[in-house]
Amino acid sequence: MTLLSDKEVVTVFERLKKQNPEPVSELDYKNPYTLLVAVVLSAQATDKSVNIATKELFKVASTPKKMVELGEKKLIPYIRSIGLYKNKAHNIIELSKMLLSKFNSKVPSTREELESLPGVGRKTANVVLNVIFDQPTMPVDTHLMRISPKIGLVSGTTPIEIEKNLLERIPKKYLKNAHHWLLLHGRYVCTARNAKCDECVINDLCKHNE
């Protein structure tokens, strides 16, 4: 499959930017810690289902200390509606303990430190680095995996390949918001079933439509 030219890549992001100049995470959070918890919960779950669960949870546990005091057994009822809730509850308590003991209750600002926390993989670390610390990272979720090659932005079959190629191809000035634009595009327009090509602002550039 042919890829978009460098000029076309710029056009894609200019149009996505014009449509949504200041994209934000659709996960609800109160502080860096609650964003971290929300992203851990969002693995294999929708942002909507996570927001419903965390609405009440974050009223009682919005810091590592409060979460550890709540404990795994009392945490589970808040997140039972989310997939893999037992495993996630365990990881959230353990990462909260680690934040208390190793990081003075603060969410760390490096990938290595974030990935040392239980339940935090590369994608979660990238989201936190981007949203909280304004770093130009590329969290690759199912939407980015699916639409990036489809549009013709990059080639690749693994999250790490897609991430690496996107970081190389997307001009620096778009990197801060690029993953938000692509995620939202995949979630609402370029959907897995019945993509809304007639509503798409880049349908004339999309390599899938060639």
Side-chain angles (χ1 to χ4, degrees):
M1 189 181 101
T2 31
L3 294 178
L4 296 164
S5 68
D6 290 346
K7 189 178 177 183
E8 286 172 326
V9 171
V10 169
T11 305
V12 164
F13 285 100
E14 278 299 319
R15 290 185 191 175
L16 293 174
K17 180 183 176 184
K18 187 178 179 183
Q19 190 180 44
N20 186 1
E22 297 292 334
V24 293
S25 172
E26 292 195 321
L27 286 170
D28 295 335
Y29 63 98
K30 295 171 180 284
N31 53 36
Y33 171 71
T34 53
L35 176 73
L36 175 62
V37 170
V39 180
V40 169
L41 288 172
S42 72
Q44 297 178 47
T46 65
D47 287 3
K48 192 175 178 182
S49 68
V50 173
N51 289 341
I52 291 167
T54 57
K55 186 178 179 183
E56 296 306 316
L57 173 63
F58 292 158
K59 287 177 184 176
V60 295
S62 58
T63 66
K65 185 173 183 287
K66 287 177 181 175
M67 192 67 78
V68 171
E69 286 170 355
L70 182 67
E72 197 172 322
K73 200 174 273 188
K74 288 182 180 175
L75 168 58
I76 283 175
Y78 286 100
I79 64 169
R80 196 184 293 275
S81 58
I82 299 171
L84 309 172
Y85 67 89
K86 285 184 181 176
N87 194 35
K88 289 174 181 177
H90 177 74
N91 284 336
I92 286 166
I93 297 300
E94 292 305 308
L95 75 82
S96 300
K97 288 177 181 175
M98 199 163 164
L99 288 174
L100 284 168
S101 63
K102 276 192 75 175
F103 299 105
N104 196 28
S105 295
K106 300 269 195 307
V107 173
S109 60
T110 70
R111 182 191 308 286
E112 293 72 25
E113 288 173 323
L114 283 164
E115 288 187 19
S116 74
L117 298 168
V120 177
R122 188 177 182 89
K123 191 206 91 173
T124 298
N126 276 338
V127 173
V128 173
L129 290 170
N130 180 271
V131 175
I132 299 300
F133 298 106
D134 288 333
Q135 293 187 25
T137 59
M138 190 58 58
V140 175
D141 67 352
T142 52
H143 295 299
L144 268 73
M145 273 291 293
R146 179 174 54 79
I147 74 165
S148 298
K150 181 181 175 183
I151 292 167
L153 274 174
V154 293
S155 58
T157 55
T158 66
I160 198 80
E161 282 176 342
I162 299 284
E163 177 185 336
K164 178 174 171 285
N165 293 338
L166 285 171
L167 288 171
E168 284 174 359
R169 292 215 73 205
I170 298 171
K172 277 186 179 175
K173 65 178 179 176
Y174 303 117
L175 279 178
K176 171 70 177 76
N177 292 320
H179 98 271
H180 284 305
W181 285 322
L182 292 173
L183 184 156
L184 294 169
H185 189 68
R187 185 175 287 169
Y188 297 112
V189 181
C190 193
T191 49
R193 294 180 189 176
N194 305 319
K196 299 167 185 166
C197 295
D198 55 329
E199 296 176 23
C200 176
V201 296
I202 57 170
N203 62 359
D204 57 318
L205 298 167
C206 179
K207 295 300 178 184
H208 184 71
N209 291 335
E210 280 189 336

